[in-house]
Amino acid sequence: MSDIRREMIMFSNLNCPTCAAKLETAVRALPGVASAKVVFGAASLDVEYDAGKVAYDRIADVASRMGLSVSARVPGTPSGN
Amino acid sequence: MTTMTHYINWLMIAIALVAGVPIAREAIGKLRLKQFSIALLVVFASIGAIIIGEAWEAAVVTVLFALGGWLESRTLARTRSALKELVDMMPRTARVRRGADIVEVSAYDVRQGDIVIIRPGDMVPVDGKVVAGSASLDTSSVTGESMPTEAMAGTAVTSGSVTLGGYLEVEAERVGTDTTFSRLIYMIAEAGDQKPKMQRTLDKFAQWYTPSVITASVLVYAITRDAHLALTFLVIACPGALVAAAPVAIIAGLGSAARQGVLIKGGERLERIARIDTVAFDKTGTLTMGKPQVVAVEGFAGKSADEVLAAAAGAELRSEHHLATAVLARAQADGVEPLPALDWEIRAGQGAIAHLEGGALTAVGNLALMRSLGIDVPQDQLHMVAHREAQGETVTLVALAGEAIGLIGIADQPRPEAAAAIAALSKAGIKNVVMLTGDNERAARHVAGLLGIEPSSVRSGLMPDDKVATIRSLQQSGARVAMVGDGINDAPALAMADVSVSMGASATRAAMEVADIALMSDNLMRIPQAFAHSRRMVQVIKQNVVLAVVVVAVLLAGVLVGRVHLASGMFIHEASILLVTLNGLRLLRR
């Protein structure tokens, strides 16, 4: 059984477009991540993942290793629904 | 003297380094993504300029380029803080009834069918239906309508509404991530992302200009074996005037607009602003004052307007209802003393009642209130009510001592300059003016008629996503749409529009910050002016770009045929920078 979740993770310091592209690629590479899109204008990452396969902490960890800090999380409705 | 030149040279190198390091970082980053940028050319040319002893050139180009980047990032920061503010507003917890207890749970743990308790001042955390209680609801964050609505058993309520008073029990229908407010936030983020994708003209230009200049200067070296000539070519090719073309015109233009209370945000949006042919207005608070006012007081059976107002004010004296505020304001403005009353009673969803000193009863409210008090409202009086309602007014009845004595019509009036501003827009080359509103059709058409907006251009009864859909369909039919709005509810439509304009003092901060154009005053005349001004700015920038490209092309040709040498080349180069700067400064004049 899969437990698909969607979240918008907002960062307080996502300022360079290059880091945004890197973050997107790195998060997409995680197993269990169905889709990841950086919304640069909103300084946030719109991500859908299977909570059974990858924990939110793994995603946050990828971001924090790139020096990004999370300022807010907004759960959303998965696009499949 | 030589030492002096020497020092200045080192100073210029230092400036070029400070301004240049972030540019180099940007250039390398973009190169990794296989993009050639102007930044890359600026870096190469600056290094070349320093090598051939023209550090001044390196300093000028890097500083101007950094200035452009700074302008852009400031705009970005504003957009972002608006979204963050909305997220911070979201209710985190909800009080729900579980069995006999009322427990506080996370807003995401409310289940469908839960009964949610909402106390005064609370934000409604779910979409649902009221099952008990009554309250005035401020729905402006979702619908943009400044007039609070009355919620009672059976009323549907939307997340994001705030109770102004009263108590509600709401049965949750849409919860957690599915609520209107939660979807609103996603909509804004998604719509906001469509803009940066439109690559700036300069970046597209750089895609072929940068590699061809670098290749060409390598070729020059390969053919002539003259490193000095190759570097001269590289430095002269650096689009100094081109780099200055936009920022100077933009700063001058934005500066003069700002002095008139028009904040045009971000240079890259100018071209979009200049191409707009359709302007969509939110009605409430934008075309209208956004504040209910008494527009008519009529007495029944020979009663004077002042008598009606005195009785109404007496009943409303202790009410905080928005209609009461309008009535009391009118009484004060007309110098009418409220009838002295002893005690007051508010009937939610109906009106207010007061016992007067002589023992008589005065009441203000709707027909339901009159009926519940056993007051008869004859047919001809009902006709008068219907007549006023047809003008888009909210009508309340006034009763004194068991008899209906008059009516008060309350409406949100158009701004005095609204009709003139709409006429000026069509003179400024805007082909179509559209009105979008969450209000009902009758009120919408009435206001449109007063302002000279075509009935076919009025869209009423819209929710935030309907507004977005309307903008999108206009765009699909080929229109370039600017949206003028003031509320959080307008934010998705503002973000979807090609250009967004927020209105002054009445604008919520969220609307102001996502806007491309923010008006500091509520003067609608500033809108046609802003469009005309943007067109002038774009014109100046285009002139500058053409001038810069022509100068660089002529100089490069001259370098290659050996007619232009570094000194004379640099002189013309700097002269062209001065010329585009002066041209840009023309925008400082009105």
Side-chain angles (χ1 to χ4, degrees), chain B residues 75-157:
Chain B
T75 318
L76 190 65
R78 281 173 180 239
T79 316
R80 290 172 167 186
S81 70
L83 188 68
K84 184 69 177 35
E85 203 165 284
L86 266 189
V87 169
D88 290 343
M89 251 173 73
M90 284 179 78
R92 299 266 175 272
T93 59
R95 254 177 286 274
V96 297
R97 177 163 288 158
R98 293 268 158 91
D101 298 327
I102 290 172
V103 291
E104 191 162 325
V105 301
S106 155
Y108 292 103
D109 292 337
V110 180
R111 293 183 297 244
Q112 235 173 35
D114 269 346
I115 302 297
V116 182
I117 311 295
I118 293 146
R119 302 187 307 191
D122 277 357
M123 182 182 267
V124 180
V126 297
D127 293 356
K129 195 184 280 174
V130 177
V131 288
S134 69
S136 277
L137 275 184
D138 173 3
T139 62
S140 60
S141 71
V142 192
T143 63
E145 293 310 315
S146 47
M147 282 223 199
T149 56
E150 301 302 329
M152 59 207 84
T155 313
V157 294

Side-chain angles (χ1 to χ4, degrees), chain B residues 235-296:
Chain B
V235 172
I236 299 275
C238 177
L242 198 62
V243 168
V248 173
I250 287 168
I251 290 175
L254 299 189
S256 74
R259 280 205 310 268
Q260 295 180 53
V262 179
L263 292 187
I264 301 172
K265 293 191 276 180
E268 30 126 18
R269 306 164 185 208
L270 277 174
E271 290 201 301
R272 269 188 282 133
I273 297 174
R275 280 201 301 259
I276 289 302
D277 58 18
T278 300
V279 179
F281 282 95
D282 168 57
K283 178 178 78 70
T284 309
T286 307
L287 289 173
T288 67
M289 310 289 284
K291 216 165 68 184
Q293 281 176 318
V294 171
V295 292

